Structure formats: structure tokens, C-alpha cells
Amino acid sequence: MTEPIVPLEPVDESWSSALAIAAHPDDLEYGTAAAVARWTDQGKRVVYCLATSGEAGIDSMEPERCGPLREAEERAGAALVGVDVVEFLGYPDGMLVYGLDLRRDIARAVRRHRPDVVITGNHHDSWRPGLQNQADHVALGRCVIDGVRDAANRWVFRELLDEGLEPWKATHIFVAGSPMATHGVDVTGGFDRGVASLAAHAEYLRGLGPTAMSDPEEFLESVSRPTGARLGVRYGVSFEVIYT
């Protein structure tokens, strides 16, 4: 028996600016970038903030060479979907932990950029039953949720006030790739640019070898078509929406 298609509610797009925070270069490109292309076409401003430089992501390349290369690939991919500001926080790839330092840096970024919404990736322990999430994603996502709250509270991380950063409250957090997604975005118009954005990570994809995730168009189509069906469109990206 075919499983019933569970509809997704369209994401509220009545906002003007977003800060997208992820653990590694390429995290945003596995789906979210196509939504970013749609949003920048609408005139929205999107800034990328990466906790690490992905320097441990290519087995055949030493981290000292890999980090700068992956930063360059991230900037190139971001530009293809209309993002011209990409920041790196400098945390060690593969060793992110939930803690005050990362929460503070996220709160600092939110206060500096003052976004209406914050976008991040799946913070849950798994993607679906039997497919565990990666530790960096879990730690980063949890810190984003708490760091967004911290950014709105002047009595948390009071040193940010000394830096001239007044509290700022984002209205929502959009969590991409969540197993608890209830909302979605029609990315049919931005799908090709989303593919190109992921393809810009050429050295990283080459380092993956022949896996299900190494062909940008094939992989993105495999996840975007089922989501699109839940929205009644060709291609979609799903989000868990957290109200702050």
C-alpha cells in the first residue's frame, strides 16, 4: 500500500532578511540553497555564517590546505544563489560541542546582522529511523536555537553590550532537513541554481567518491521531488519552523 502524502504548509515569506548558520561548507547546499535562490530573487538579504571551514572533510587532503579551499568553494556556491556575505567562525571541523563559546558567537552574529529569521540545519539525533545525524550538526543546531534566544536577552552575554551590540530578536528559526518538518518552500524556480551551488563544491564532491550524495543534480532531485509533492509543486525544500 502506498503511504499517504502528508501536506506541508507553505513557509511564511513576509520577512526581509535572514542569517543562515551551518556547521560546514556544503551543509546549506544540500537543499537549502535552492530556497535561498528563491528568496534573494524576491529581494531578501541572506547572509551565511559557517561554524567551521570544513578542513577535516576531505580524507586525501591535509586540513591546512583543505580549509581555505572549502572556504573558497563555499563563497563561490553562495554567490550563485545571491549571497555575497559568507563568514567563518573558525571552530574545529568534526569537534563542535554544545557550549557557551559557540552560543556567544551565534548571539554575536545575530546581533550584528539583525535578521528577521535565522536558518539552520537539522539538530535532531537522526534524519530518520536508522540514519543518525552527524555530531557537529546536532551541536551547532542546538547552539543556534539557544544563541538566537540569547541574542534577544541583554542580560545574557553582557560583554556583547560592551561591543556595542544591542539585543535583537529574530521572529523564527527555519530548520532545514528536520524529521519534524511541517512547512515547505517551492524551489522549482531556484532548483537549477541550487544544483549549481552544490556543484561549486567540486573538490569536496570529488573527495566523497561515487556515493549517493556526490552527484548534485541526482541527489537534490531525489530529496526535492518528494517534498515538492507534499506542497503540490515540482521541487520543494522542507523546514521545521521554531517560533522564538
Side-chain angles (χ1 to χ4, degrees):
M1 180 180 294
T2 303
E3 291 291 325
I5 295 176
V6 180
L8 291 170
E9 182 178 340
V11 164
D12 180 359
E13 296 181 320
S14 60
W15 49 271
S16 298
S17 62
L19 175 63
I21 309 174
H24 317 104
D26 85 280
D27 284 353
L28 293 167
E29 282 67 43
Y30 278 102
T32 307
V36 171
R38 169 187 172 95
W39 290 329
T40 57
D41 279 353
Q42 294 173 350
K44 304 183 193 301
R45 176 165 174 75
V46 181
V47 170
Y48 281 5
C49 177
L50 290 300
T52 81
S53 298
E55 69 276 6
I58 302 177
D59 184 68
S60 61
M61 187 179 297
E62 64 276 10
E64 293 75 16
R65 189 160 68 94
C66 184
L69 181 148
R70 295 200 67 197
E71 288 187 5
E73 289 187 336
E74 179 63 20
R75 291 190 175 96
L80 291 171
V81 292
V83 175
D84 56 10
V85 176
V86 180
E87 301 177 346
F88 297 88
L89 298 180
Y91 283 82
D93 184 15
M95 293 182 282
L96 288 182
V97 294
Y98 179 91
L100 294 178
D101 288 344
L102 185 51
R103 275 174 52 187
R104 181 187 298 108
D105 282 342
I106 289 168
R108 179 182 286 115
V110 171
R111 290 194 188 188
R112 282 194 299 109
H113 293 291
R114 304 172 79 80
D116 299 320
V117 301
V118 171
I119 303 163
T120 194
N122 181 20
H123 60 280
H124 298 288
D125 289 337
S126 65
W127 298 98
R128 62 176 185 270
L131 185 59
Q132 289 298 108
N133 201 351
Q134 198 258 6
D136 279 0
H137 299 156
V138 176
L140 185 280
R142 289 181 58 211
C143 281
V144 168
I145 292 168
D146 290 336
V148 168
R149 294 192 189 106
D150 297 333
N153 188 334
R154 72 173 55 253
W155 305 123
V156 178
F157 302 131
R158 282 182 271 178
E159 60 270 37
L160 297 181
L161 294 174
D162 297 333
E163 298 174 20
L165 297 173
E166 290 293 322
W168 181 258
K169 180 177 175 60
T171 62
H172 301 82
I173 301 172
F174 296 159
V175 182
S178 170
M180 298 177 63
T182 55
H183 291 69
V185 175
D186 178 1
V187 298
T188 305
F191 180 78
D192 289 344
R193 278 170 295 160
V195 171
S197 185
L198 179 55
H201 294 261
E203 288 298 327
Y204 174 71
L205 294 171
R206 190 173 295 115
L208 290 178
T211 73
M213 297 177 66
S214 58
D215 183 308
E217 184 169 8
E218 183 176 323
F219 177 81
L220 292 176
E221 185 164 346
S222 73
V223 295
S224 298
R225 275 193 180 276
T227 305
R230 296 176 67 187
L231 284 165
V233 300
R234 185 176 185 186
Y235 296 124
V237 172
S238 65
F239 292 94
E240 175 185 352
V241 177
I242 297 174
Y243 299 88
T244 61

PDB file of all heavy atoms in Angstrom, residues 16-31:
ATOM      1  N   SER A  16      12.295  40.077   5.458  1.00  0.00           N
ATOM      2  CA  SER A  16      13.198  40.742   4.521  1.00  0.00           C
ATOM      3  C   SER A  16      14.644  40.285   4.598  1.00  0.00           C
ATOM      4  O   SER A  16      15.393  40.452   3.634  1.00  0.00           O
ATOM      5  CB  SER A  16      13.166  42.269   4.758  1.00  0.00           C
ATOM      6  OG  SER A  16      11.876  42.780   4.534  1.00  0.00           O
ATOM      7  N   SER A  17      15.056  39.713   5.742  1.00  0.00           N
ATOM      8  CA  SER A  17      16.471  39.351   5.881  1.00  0.00           C
ATOM      9  C   SER A  17      16.605  38.068   6.687  1.00  0.00           C
ATOM     10  O   SER A  17      15.797  37.771   7.566  1.00  0.00           O
ATOM     11  CB  SER A  17      17.252  40.477   6.557  1.00  0.00           C
ATOM     12  OG  SER A  17      16.759  40.710   7.867  1.00  0.00           O
ATOM     13  N   ALA A  18      17.663  37.315   6.368  1.00  0.00           N
ATOM     14  CA  ALA A  18      17.897  36.045   7.049  1.00  0.00           C
ATOM     15  C   ALA A  18      19.389  35.853   7.286  1.00  0.00           C
ATOM     16  O   ALA A  18      20.231  36.297   6.489  1.00  0.00           O
ATOM     17  CB  ALA A  18      17.352  34.876   6.236  1.00  0.00           C
ATOM     18  N   LEU A  19      19.696  35.176   8.373  1.00  0.00           N
ATOM     19  CA  LEU A  19      21.053  34.720   8.667  1.00  0.00           C
ATOM     20  C   LEU A  19      21.019  33.201   8.668  1.00  0.00           C
ATOM     21  O   LEU A  19      20.285  32.588   9.443  1.00  0.00           O
ATOM     22  CB  LEU A  19      21.507  35.243  10.032  1.00  0.00           C
ATOM     23  CG  LEU A  19      22.869  34.755  10.542  1.00  0.00           C
ATOM     24  CD1 LEU A  19      23.995  35.224   9.615  1.00  0.00           C
ATOM     25  CD2 LEU A  19      23.116  35.241  11.969  1.00  0.00           C
ATOM     26  N   ALA A  20      21.778  32.582   7.762  1.00  0.00           N
ATOM     27  CA  ALA A  20      21.829  31.127   7.651  1.00  0.00           C
ATOM     28  C   ALA A  20      23.097  30.635   8.332  1.00  0.00           C
ATOM     29  O   ALA A  20      24.210  31.012   7.942  1.00  0.00           O
ATOM     30  CB  ALA A  20      21.805  30.697   6.189  1.00  0.00           C
ATOM     31  N   ILE A  21      22.939  29.803   9.352  1.00  0.00           N
ATOM     32  CA  ILE A  21      24.070  29.338  10.162  1.00  0.00           C
ATOM     33  C   ILE A  21      24.178  27.828  10.032  1.00  0.00           C
ATOM     34  O   ILE A  21      23.216  27.101  10.299  1.00  0.00           O
ATOM     35  CB  ILE A  21      23.890  29.725  11.641  1.00  0.00           C
ATOM     36  CG1 ILE A  21      23.566  31.217  11.774  1.00  0.00           C
ATOM     37  CG2 ILE A  21      25.140  29.375  12.441  1.00  0.00           C
ATOM     38  CD1 ILE A  21      23.226  31.640  13.205  1.00  0.00           C
ATOM     39  N   ALA A  22      25.346  27.350   9.638  1.00  0.00           N
ATOM     40  CA  ALA A  22      25.552  25.914   9.454  1.00  0.00           C
ATOM     41  C   ALA A  22      26.903  25.496  10.013  1.00  0.00           C
ATOM     42  O   ALA A  22      27.760  26.336  10.307  1.00  0.00           O
ATOM     43  CB  ALA A  22      25.454  25.551   7.970  1.00  0.00           C
ATOM     44  N   ALA A  23      27.090  24.192  10.134  1.00  0.00           N
ATOM     45  CA  ALA A  23      28.335  23.675  10.705  1.00  0.00           C
ATOM     46  C   ALA A  23      29.482  23.693   9.708  1.00  0.00           C
ATOM     47  O   ALA A  23      30.617  24.035  10.059  1.00  0.00           O
ATOM     48  CB  ALA A  23      28.112  22.251  11.226  1.00  0.00           C
ATOM     49  N   HIS A  24      29.203  23.317   8.453  1.00  0.00           N
ATOM     50  CA  HIS A  24      30.277  23.115   7.476  1.00  0.00           C
ATOM     51  C   HIS A  24      29.951  23.762   6.124  1.00  0.00           C
ATOM     52  O   HIS A  24      28.776  23.865   5.769  1.00  0.00           O
ATOM     53  CB  HIS A  24      30.479  21.610   7.202  1.00  0.00           C
ATOM     54  CG  HIS A  24      30.457  20.747   8.408  1.00  0.00           C
ATOM     55  ND1 HIS A  24      29.375  19.961   8.748  1.00  0.00           N
ATOM     56  CD2 HIS A  24      31.383  20.553   9.372  1.00  0.00           C
ATOM     57  CE1 HIS A  24      29.641  19.300   9.859  1.00  0.00           C
ATOM     58  NE2 HIS A  24      30.845  19.645  10.275  1.00  0.00           N
ATOM     59  N   PRO A  25      30.988  24.118   5.353  1.00  0.00           N
ATOM     60  CA  PRO A  25      30.760  24.411   3.946  1.00  0.00           C
ATOM     61  C   PRO A  25      30.101  23.186   3.308  1.00  0.00           C
ATOM     62  O   PRO A  25      30.514  22.055   3.589  1.00  0.00           O
ATOM     63  CB  PRO A  25      32.176  24.616   3.391  1.00  0.00           C
ATOM     64  CG  PRO A  25      33.009  24.967   4.578  1.00  0.00           C
ATOM     65  CD  PRO A  25      32.417  24.213   5.737  1.00  0.00           C
ATOM     66  N   ASP A  26      29.113  23.397   2.488  1.00  0.00           N
ATOM     67  CA  ASP A  26      28.280  22.434   1.758  1.00  0.00           C
ATOM     68  C   ASP A  26      27.005  22.070   2.498  1.00  0.00           C
ATOM     69  O   ASP A  26      26.068  21.568   1.888  1.00  0.00           O
ATOM     70  CB  ASP A  26      29.022  21.143   1.350  1.00  0.00           C
ATOM     71  CG  ASP A  26      29.038  20.081   2.449  1.00  0.00           C
ATOM     72  OD1 ASP A  26      29.876  20.199   3.360  1.00  0.00           O
ATOM     73  OD2 ASP A  26      28.222  19.144   2.392  1.00  0.00           O
ATOM     74  N   ASP A  27      26.893  22.301   3.822  1.00  0.00           N
ATOM     75  CA  ASP A  27      25.668  21.935   4.534  1.00  0.00           C
ATOM     76  C   ASP A  27      24.450  22.647   3.954  1.00  0.00           C
ATOM     77  O   ASP A  27      23.389  22.030   3.760  1.00  0.00           O
ATOM     78  CB  ASP A  27      25.783  22.288   6.028  1.00  0.00           C
ATOM     79  CG  ASP A  27      26.645  21.312   6.805  1.00  0.00           C
ATOM     80  OD1 ASP A  27      27.053  20.282   6.233  1.00  0.00           O
ATOM     81  OD2 ASP A  27      26.929  21.591   7.989  1.00  0.00           O
ATOM     82  N   LEU A  28      24.588  23.930   3.674  1.00  0.00           N
ATOM     83  CA  LEU A  28      23.453  24.692   3.157  1.00  0.00           C
ATOM     84  C   LEU A  28      23.128  24.323   1.712  1.00  0.00           C
ATOM     85  O   LEU A  28      21.997  24.518   1.253  1.00  0.00           O
ATOM     86  CB  LEU A  28      23.738  26.196   3.253  1.00  0.00           C
ATOM     87  CG  LEU A  28      23.826  26.743   4.682  1.00  0.00           C
ATOM     88  CD1 LEU A  28      24.426  28.136   4.698  1.00  0.00           C
ATOM     89  CD2 LEU A  28      22.443  26.755   5.334  1.00  0.00           C
ATOM     90  N   GLU A  29      24.110  23.768   1.019  1.00  0.00           N
ATOM     91  CA  GLU A  29      23.910  23.462  -0.400  1.00  0.00           C
ATOM     92  C   GLU A  29      23.116  22.179  -0.622  1.00  0.00           C
ATOM     93  O   GLU A  29      22.611  21.946  -1.725  1.00  0.00           O
ATOM     94  CB  GLU A  29      25.266  23.376  -1.114  1.00  0.00           C
ATOM     95  CG  GLU A  29      25.889  24.721  -1.423  1.00  0.00           C
ATOM     96  CD  GLU A  29      26.307  25.501  -0.191  1.00  0.00           C
ATOM     97  OE1 GLU A  29      26.884  24.910   0.740  1.00  0.00           O
ATOM     98  OE2 GLU A  29      26.055  26.723  -0.145  1.00  0.00           O
ATOM     99  N   TYR A  30      22.998  21.341   0.393  1.00  0.00           N
ATOM    100  CA  TYR A  30      22.224  20.111   0.226  1.00  0.00           C
ATOM    101  C   TYR A  30      20.740  20.376   0.426  1.00  0.00           C
ATOM    102  O   TYR A  30      20.073  19.759   1.242  1.00  0.00           O
ATOM    103  CB  TYR A  30      22.754  19.017   1.162  1.00  0.00           C
ATOM    104  CG  TYR A  30      23.965  18.314   0.602  1.00  0.00           C
ATOM    105  CD1 TYR A  30      25.242  18.622   1.055  1.00  0.00           C
ATOM    106  CD2 TYR A  30      23.833  17.368  -0.402  1.00  0.00           C
ATOM    107  CE1 TYR A  30      26.360  17.988   0.516  1.00  0.00           C
ATOM    108  CE2 TYR A  30      24.940  16.723  -0.947  1.00  0.00           C
ATOM    109  CZ  TYR A  30      26.200  17.039  -0.480  1.00  0.00           C
ATOM    110  OH  TYR A  30      27.302  16.409  -1.027  1.00  0.00           O
ATOM    111  N   GLY A  31      20.220  21.336  -0.338  1.00  0.00           N
ATOM    112  CA  GLY A  31      18.787  21.619  -0.360  1.00  0.00           C
ATOM    113  C   GLY A  31      18.438  23.067  -0.088  1.00  0.00           C
ATOM    114  O   GLY A  31      17.707  23.693  -0.854  1.00  0.00           O
TER     115      GLY A  31
END
